[in-house]
Amino acid sequence: MKSVLAAIALFTLSACASVSERIADAQPYSDMINWPDEYLPEDADFYVHNKIEIDAEPEVIWQILINAENWPDWYRGAFDVAITNSPSPVLLSDSVFTWNTMGLDFTSVITEFDAPYRLSWVSERSFIKGYHAWLIIPGENGATLLVTDESQTGFFAHLQSIFQKDKLRDLHDEWLLQIKRKAEA
């Protein structure tokens, strides 16, 4: 029994260290996100940061990103995306959308919509809650930095930090790469 408890304690400590390391790697971009108090990365059970440089204007990237109902056509991490409070297939400032990601069904609500620079949403279920933020940062010579950060809390988020800590990061890397390909085409 002591060895089981020791293993659980070790997993928990490594998950906390992992969140701290990911927050440090995300600077200064994480500080640019308007985190709600309940989703601050330093208090998260799970946190992931991804970024990519894209040779396209922010407006081009924005149009790809907000076209949510088309995500499943080119991103393997999104299924059955439907905007439920509008006939529009693109996200709007007050959009609510349902979708399946990582094997779970979510209802997500847009919380920040500052075209073409910021997009965020909250997704909540009884066992996992998350805040997903996007930053589109213009750079020099037409290049743009696309950043996405996600902070999660809840029982499933904690399990994910222990048993699947790279799965969401890898999916977000793919999401960014697909946006890059579409924007640069």
Side-chain angles (χ1 to χ4, degrees):
M1 181 60 137
K2 286 183 180 180
S3 62
V4 171
L5 291 175
I8 291 171
L10 180 62
F11 277 130
T12 301
L13 289 174
S14 69
C16 292
S18 177
V19 168
S20 298
E21 290 168 4
R22 290 175 193 238
I23 292 169
D25 290 344
Q27 299 305 324
Y29 307 108
S30 183
D31 289 342
M32 297 168 67
I33 294 172
N34 297 319
W35 294 103
D37 289 343
E38 62 269 29
Y39 294 105
L40 294 171
E42 58 268 21
D43 297 332
D45 292 316
F46 187 69
Y47 169 77
V48 64
H49 164 79
N50 303 73
K51 66 183 176 188
I52 195 168
E53 189 171 288
I54 301 175
D55 290 325
E57 295 294 324
E59 293 80 5
V60 172
I61 297 165
W62 179 260
Q63 289 305 314
I64 295 166
L65 185 58
I66 66 169
N67 199 345
E69 289 189 0
N70 284 339
W71 294 343
D73 294 343
W74 50 267
Y75 170 53
R76 71 177 174 99
F79 300 92
D80 303 322
V81 179
I83 298 172
T84 60
N85 64 334
S86 167
S88 174
V90 300
L91 297 173
L92 304 170
S93 62
D94 64 345
S95 289
V96 175
F97 62 101
T98 58
W99 62 318
N100 181 291
T101 185
M102 292 190 61
L104 298 171
D105 292 322
F106 287 98
T107 297
S108 299
V109 178
I110 299 297
T111 57
E112 186 171 27
F113 190 92
D114 180 15
Y117 306 110
R118 296 174 170 275
L119 177 67
S120 300
W121 61 75
V122 170
S123 304
E124 296 184 349
R125 295 192 54 160
S126 60
F127 49 82
I128 189 169
K129 298 176 182 185
Y131 187 78
H132 193 134
W134 296 85
L135 298 173
I136 301 173
I137 305 167
E140 297 178 20
N141 303 322
T144 301
L145 184 65
L146 179 58
V147 175
T148 187
D149 281 25
E150 186 166 337
S151 172
Q152 299 177 357
T153 61
F155 179 71
F156 268 33
H158 184 70
L159 289 178
Q160 180 176 241
S161 71
I162 296 169
F163 298 109
Q164 292 188 1
K165 65 181 176 182
D166 294 328
K167 184 176 182 179
L168 186 62
R169 187 197 68 224
D170 293 347
L171 276 173
H172 285 182
D173 276 344
E174 181 182 326
W175 203 351
L176 293 173
L177 183 58
Q178 294 301 331
I179 292 171
K180 177 181 176 74
R181 288 181 179 152
K182 291 180 75 59
E184 291 180 353

